[in-house]
Amino acid sequence: MNQTLPTTRHELGLLYRARPAMAGLLLAGTAAQRWPAKGSPVRKVPGIGWVTADPVVARAVLQDHRSFTILGEGGVGNLWAQILGDWVLDLFDGAGHHDLRTRTRELFTEAVSRDLVHTAWGERVAAAGEVLRSGGTLDVAHLSRVLVGRMVIGLLGIPRPAGHGGAWPDDEGALRIFETGERLATVALGTAGSTILTPDQVATARGIVAELTAGVPDGWRDAPSDTLLGRCRELGLGLTETSGLACLLMVAGTETAASAMGRTTALLVDTGEQHRMLAAIRASTTTGAAGPSPEASGGGMRTARLLNPGEADPVENVVREGLRVTSPASVIGRGVAADVEVGGARLRAGERIMLLVWSANAAAGPFRADRPYVRESRQLWFGAGRHLCLGAALARAEIGTLLRMLWSEDRPLRVVRRRAARGVLIPAWSELVVSRP
Ligand code: HEM
């Protein structure tokens, strides 16, 4: 890799294909972090508002709930309130949000997440592993969308469509759900300059939400307590809150996870770091340091061993590093709720700030399978403060499960064919075909 570039050429091409203007902004942000100029790391960009790529400033903004809000112009809460109604405002911030987060703390623990992945994906991941083992090619981008779609169907109890015969969920149904979530996220695409939606955008988004949450009322009433909807009910969440949460999960956890899965796979191959990871897996297996993971065989065995992120397990380390380098939620927006000074800049109530999370994370250096935890960025790819990603453990379990299947044999992969998605909110491979040479 050219050392003056913050990441691989393939990743840069991917960002560019997703949104050229955003790619330019992200790269400028990384450059500003790596070669800081004099003055504040918080800058005003015409047409966008305040912008920063400084991880410390970004975290300070995310943790300062008095001066910054997710609800005001510039934050995603503002989008949701227009789509779902003003009741969302309480769910997204303040006392209602605090209550929701307290009740949902147990929804995606490390252990629950592993179980969810095993149940929703076990057989499908094993089948994909078999394709590779028998010398076939695998489109990891397609597989990621299918898997994430299956997870959503499982989580939200999305019922079998009328007239659908055969097993449910199937790949086709899973893809359809994924694409529906994608359409909803696309509504947010045009909001880099303003989060105010047009009446047409609101109508489209409401239609999609109705489609996605059609199964929630039944699930919330009847689903067993070992399902997400059943757990929501037992945690005391009402139907309205549960539906709101379902929408959130759908939008927050589909494209982001699929993006990280495909891109981390490509990064491992493109940088040659797959060899370092395989060597580390070999070493940990012989010394028994971390122990191979349950899903290593494609979803068969289970284990009670739970690893914290960043532990010695080589795959867990790669999952974290892949999240750092890809940072699928490339930017996080906030509205300024009260005049405040941050990073030496004076921001006024009513303005907005964009945190260039990708830039902040990428500035620490190129992808390395064994890179230790980076203190400055911590896990900024999942945000920080009270809106820190609720599904972080689930996302990590999903990415880890895919990687363990792909590298379950001690053999490198190669990319046979690839294509980046064009004009999307979350940069991703739309096709990434791999094989074991
Ligand atoms: C690689 C995958 C993922 C990434 C990079 C990611 C990133 C993020 C980020 C940056 C935020 C904070 C947004 C903000 O502060 O404005 C967030 C919030 C959230 N994420 Fe994730 N996410 C991922 C996967 C998931 C998954 C799998 C789920 C659940 C199934 C999920 C559920 C949520 C929810 C519910 C929130 C809102 C939390 C709140 O406002 O209190 N995410 N995510």
Side-chain angles (χ1 to χ4, degrees):
M1 188 199 314
N2 180 335
Q3 288 304 310
T4 59
L5 296 178
T7 185
T8 61
R9 286 182 189 284
H10 280 302
E11 269 283 304
L12 293 177
L14 184 97
L15 293 177
Y16 185 79
R17 294 266 300 200
R19 282 196 286 173
M22 181 58 78
L25 188 62
L26 293 176
L27 278 178
T30 308
Q33 265 313 101
R34 292 164 96 199
W35 301 286
K38 281 208 187 87
S40 168
V42 186
R43 303 280 170 81
K44 207 163 195 179
V45 177
I48 290 183
W50 295 99
V51 169
T52 190
D54 184 311
V56 178
V57 173
R59 180 164 306 98
V61 167
L62 292 172
Q63 289 175 335
D64 179 353
H65 305 293
R66 283 213 304 214
S67 316
F68 297 96
T69 168
I70 202 168
L71 299 181
E73 221 280 302
V76 290
N78 186 269
L79 284 176
W80 282 111
Q82 296 165 69
I83 298 167
L84 299 177
D86 283 348
W87 60 267
V88 174
L89 299 176
D90 188 46
L91 204 66
F92 254 101
D93 224 343
H97 179 259
H98 179 73
D99 183 53
L100 181 73
R101 288 298 300 236
T102 310
R103 285 175 199 266
T104 51
R105 202 174 285 149
E106 304 299 316
L107 280 186
F108 298 111
T109 60
E110 302 276 329
V112 168
S113 300
R114 271 167 203 268
D115 276 353
L116 285 170
V117 172
H118 181 77
T119 309
W121 290 11
E123 280 177 26
R124 187 63 187 83
V125 168
E130 204 40 58
V131 170
L132 273 186
R133 222 183 324 277
S134 59
T137 59
L138 196 63
D139 182 347
V140 176
H142 178 266
L143 177 66
S144 301
R145 292 193 293 271
V146 164
L147 291 175
V148 170
R150 281 175 180 261
M151 180 60 74
V152 173
I153 290 174
L155 286 178
L156 303 191
I158 295 178
R160 174 193 302 270
H164 181 283
W168 178 254
D170 57 5
D171 281 7
E172 211 177 297
L175 272 183
R176 219 181 69 80
I177 292 299
F178 184 90
E179 282 157 13
T180 312
E182 216 171 16
R183 273 195 288 134
L184 187 53
T186 307
V187 174
L189 239 187
T191 61
S194 162
T195 46
I196 308 297
L197 300 174
T198 65
D200 271 0
Q201 286 174 315
V202 171
T204 308
R206 285 191 180 152
I208 299 170
V209 165
E211 195 181 325
L212 286 175
T213 55
V216 171
D218 280 353
W220 176 77
R221 256 189 312 272
D222 310 325
S225 53
D226 63 343
T227 64
L228 181 103
L229 294 178
R231 270 205 306 281
C232 284
R233 182 190 59 233
E234 301 210 334
L235 290 168
L237 295 182
L239 178 56
T240 310
E241 285 166 306
T242 304
S243 303
L245 187 68
C247 291
L248 263 181
L249 299 186
M250 182 67 132
V251 171
T254 50
E255 282 183 278
T256 44
S259 162
M261 287 159 72
R263 289 165 73 188
T264 304
T265 304
L267 274 166
L268 276 162
V269 176
D270 296 338
T271 57
E273 288 291 303
Q274 58 173 335
H275 297 286
R276 199 191 300 273
M277 180 182 73
L278 284 173
I281 293 173
R282 231 175 286 134
S284 69
T285 314
T286 23
T287 60
S293 166
E295 286 84 6
S297 60
M301 300 175 294
R302 313 291 309 282
T303 184
R305 176 154 167 61
L306 298 178
L307 293 157
N308 292 320
E311 247 190 272
D313 180 283
V315 177
E316 291 297 319
N317 213 70
V318 167
V319 169
R320 189 192 59 227
E321 178 68 354
L323 282 164
R324 180 186 71 81
V325 174
T326 61
S327 293
S330 329
V331 297
I332 301 179
R334 286 292 184 269
V336 182
D339 292 3
V340 61
E341 184 170 332
V342 59
R346 295 193 63 79
L347 280 57
R348 303 250 168 247
E351 292 181 325
R352 50 185 281 167
I353 183 163
M354 229 185 197
L355 311 173
L356 305 181
V357 174
W358 183 90
S359 318
N361 293 330
F367 181 86
R368 273 203 56 140
D370 61 352
R371 183 183 296 279
Y373 175 77
V374 180
R375 184 187 281 276
E376 298 78 49
S377 43
R378 292 196 221 164
Q379 46 171 348
L380 203 52
W381 45 90
F382 285 132
R386 63 163 75 132
H387 295 285
L388 179 74
C389 180
L390 180 66
L394 179 62
R396 284 197 307 264
E398 290 181 331
I399 304 164
T401 299
L402 175 81
L403 298 184
R404 288 185 174 103
M405 177 276 286
L406 291 174
W407 278 276
S408 59
E409 287 180 18
D410 189 5
R411 288 170 58 193
L413 294 181
R414 78 187 168 98
V415 174
V416 179
R417 202 168 56 245
R418 68 175 100 204
R419 197 176 67 249
R422 190 189 286 276
V424 286
L425 185 63
I426 308 283
W429 293 111
S430 55
E431 185 184 30
L432 183 77
V433 181
V434 302
S435 71
R436 288 201 186 110

